[in-house]
Amino acid sequence: VHNRAYLPAQCAQLFMKVRRIGTGATDDVLRVSLQGHNDVEPVTLESAAWDVAGLTSVFQTVSVLIPAEFRGRTSRVRIFIDGAGNAVGSTVELDDIAITALNQPGDLNGDCSVNGNDLALLLGNWGGAGVGDINADGVVNASDLALLLNGWG
């Protein structure tokens, strides 16, 4: 399956429901790759690799974060089965494929996670304006710290 999609500029995640059709031993892997308009080759996302043998006949949701270099532009999204050099012997069914922007107001550095790096940015601007002013009241203060800690993890 492949199609072009505009990927949100902020942190985003691709979600899809997947299930395995049939049984039997397999070393096939379900993968996702992205290719920007000017990219020569697609980039297979290392974090988007699900062993087909581990999938069941019941739909389960899997997801992968969209890397920063693909955010805010149109890219070809390709979902495929990799036979690891062998003929592909698996069939999977996909449903409800969606790319969703993540609402993480405490993610100050854009790495799709609220953690110590964001806390350092906030504390580095304490009492001033700019980075860390999560609630946009003009000053980095305890209200912003509370918002950041609320999204921690």
Side-chain angles (χ1 to χ4, degrees), residues 82-96:
D82 181 354
N86 301 314
V88 173
S90 302
T91 303
V92 297
E93 184 177 353
L94 305 173
D95 196 13
D96 295 336

Side-chain angles (χ1 to χ4, degrees), residues 1-5 14 31-35 42 75-80 94 97:
V1 174
H2 67 89
N3 205 346
R4 290 206 177 271
L14 180 143
R31 297 191 183 275
V32 174
S33 70
L34 299 173
Q35 183 176 10
S75 294
R76 178 177 163 218
V77 180
R78 181 174 170 237
I79 302 166
F80 62 101
L94 305 173
I97 301 169

